[in-house]
Amino acid sequence: MTLILGIESSCDETAAAVVQDGTDVISNIVASQDELHQEYGGVVPEIASRAHLERILPVIQQAILKANINLHEIDCIAVGNRPGLIGSLLVGVAAAKALAWSLGKPLVAVDHVLSHLWAPILSGNTPEYPALGVVVSGGHTSLLLLENPSTARCIGKTIDDAAGEAFDKAASILEMGWPGGRLIDEAAQHGTATHRLPRPRLKNNDADFSFSGLKTALLYGVRGNPKRENGKTVFPRVASSLSKQEKNDWSASFQEAVVDTILRGVKEAIMSHKINCIIAGGGVLANSRLRQHLLSLADQEQLQLHIPELSYCVDNAAMVAGLGWHLFSNSQFANLELTASPRGIAS
Ligand code: KG4
Ligand code: ZN
């Protein structure tokens, strides 16, 4: 029996979890910072790192308490050290190193994007490799070829906004709140995709994504074509003039365009690579339409789709501890010189 303490602080969730043998989640604590960033309509890195600093030790303590164990019973500490906001990552890395040193326990360093692809395993899935990894979150939209859970090659990524970020910006254009992915998803369920929005396609590399043009198309569609007046950009309409039904229809149209764009990339990757299954993860996998479409694509292609349950889609430390167990089992240890990096396997 191996107990791993996972620590996650790459963006705006401070999280710690205790996981046994890579799959049994004994405790899983996530402190979200949504309320701190809400008024800015996006994550403010300086606020995020300060909040991590205040929360990291209580969150770790709570994970240990909930697991009903003594800190000394932990076999290894796993920390997400890349990619992410550097000030945020450093808080988790410093805490993990301090614990590893003071307890005399090994340390493993986990790539956050790859850890999203361990989330389905926590939900009882057993993928067969090589696999196509699909990570769709607030910070990433990446396609990876995985030889095993920790060996992968990125074959496609967004060249501008991530899909989750695009959902968040769409909700902000529609004046619906932040973070917006869930809100767009809910509104879309009461709407019809009546507006034709672009499905951006890149010429140079088919496997890459782009979402910023789609966001601009939504802005112009909702508010009309802007004019320059006295050096300012002026739109003919405001989003608050839209009825609830109109917002629902724009939400459905936007969601459909994002899902189609992701699906096209996944289809192309399936056609050009030999894989045994698809593994998907990340906050946007909570999206009902994306889940539905990925399931029917996998069905069509007669491929197994491994997808996390909703609670493991968004950032959490259980997935970090899970992939950490895999690294621990393969003796892929980090040392106390470990540092954080804004870049990882997919960036
Ligand atoms: O994985 P995650 O917690 O953070 C990163 O690693 O970036 O993903 C957060 C993102 C946010 O952009 C949020 O709007 C989006 O996931 N999200 C959704 C849904 N639930 C969360 N996007 C679309 N539909 C949802 N139901
Ligand atoms: Zn994430």
Side-chain angles (χ1 to χ4, degrees), residues 80-282:
N81 78 319
R82 65 191 189 281
L85 300 172
I86 193 73
S88 292
L89 287 164
L90 280 169
V91 176
V93 169
K97 289 204 294 189
L99 277 173
W101 175 77
S102 58
L103 296 168
K105 303 285 182 182
L107 181 68
V108 292
V110 171
D111 184 289
H112 178 81
V113 170
L114 279 183
S115 74
H116 272 298
L117 297 176
W118 190 276
I121 298 173
L122 298 175
S123 303
N125 292 267
T126 47
E128 269 182 42
Y129 299 85
L132 172 68
V134 182
V135 179
V136 193
S137 71
H140 305 275
T141 308
S142 312
L143 298 175
L144 299 125
L145 277 183
L146 288 104
E147 253 173 65
N148 62 54
S150 61
T151 312
R153 178 165 68 86
C154 181
I155 56 167
K157 58 180 193 288
T158 180
I159 59 154
D160 41 55
D161 294 347
E165 192 180 359
F167 270 114
D168 293 336
K169 287 178 178 168
S172 142
I173 290 167
L174 291 165
E175 296 182 9
M176 290 164 69
W178 187 87
R182 189 178 48 79
L183 303 170
I184 296 267
D185 189 357
E186 282 165 7
Q189 287 170 30
H190 305 284
T192 315
T194 45
H195 304 285
R196 183 74 199 161
L197 290 168
R199 272 70 173 154
R201 201 183 174 86
L202 297 173
K203 288 205 183 72
N204 55 343
N205 182 353
D206 274 343
D208 280 341
F209 301 97
S210 164
F211 293 101
S212 74
L214 175 57
K215 171 198 67 190
T216 310
L218 175 77
L219 175 68
Y220 288 8
V222 168
R223 301 198 52 193
N225 287 333
K227 288 198 189 97
R228 293 291 290 172
E229 276 175 22
N230 302 328
K232 281 189 185 159
T233 306
V234 182
F235 287 93
R237 294 190 291 277
V238 287
S240 52
S241 65
L242 295 182
S243 70
K244 192 150 189 236
Q245 190 55 50
E246 284 171 321
K247 286 194 183 183
N248 292 346
D249 291 346
W250 276 115
S251 297
S253 308
F254 185 81
Q255 179 173 274
E256 220 50 32
V258 174
V259 171
D260 277 359
T261 307
I262 295 167
L263 261 284
R264 197 194 53 225
V266 174
K267 265 186 214 160
E268 275 162 16
I270 292 174
M271 285 194 301
S272 17
H273 299 279
K274 202 181 152 355
I275 49 159
N276 283 329
C277 68
I278 306 170
I279 313 176

Side-chain angles (χ1 to χ4, degrees), residues 8 10-11 13 112-113 115-116 135 137-140 282-283 313-316 319:
E8 154 64 37
S10 64
C11 188
E13 263 92 25
H112 178 81
V113 170
S115 74
H116 272 298
V135 179
S137 71
H140 305 275
C313 286
V314 285
D315 287 350
N316 65 83
M319 63 190 195

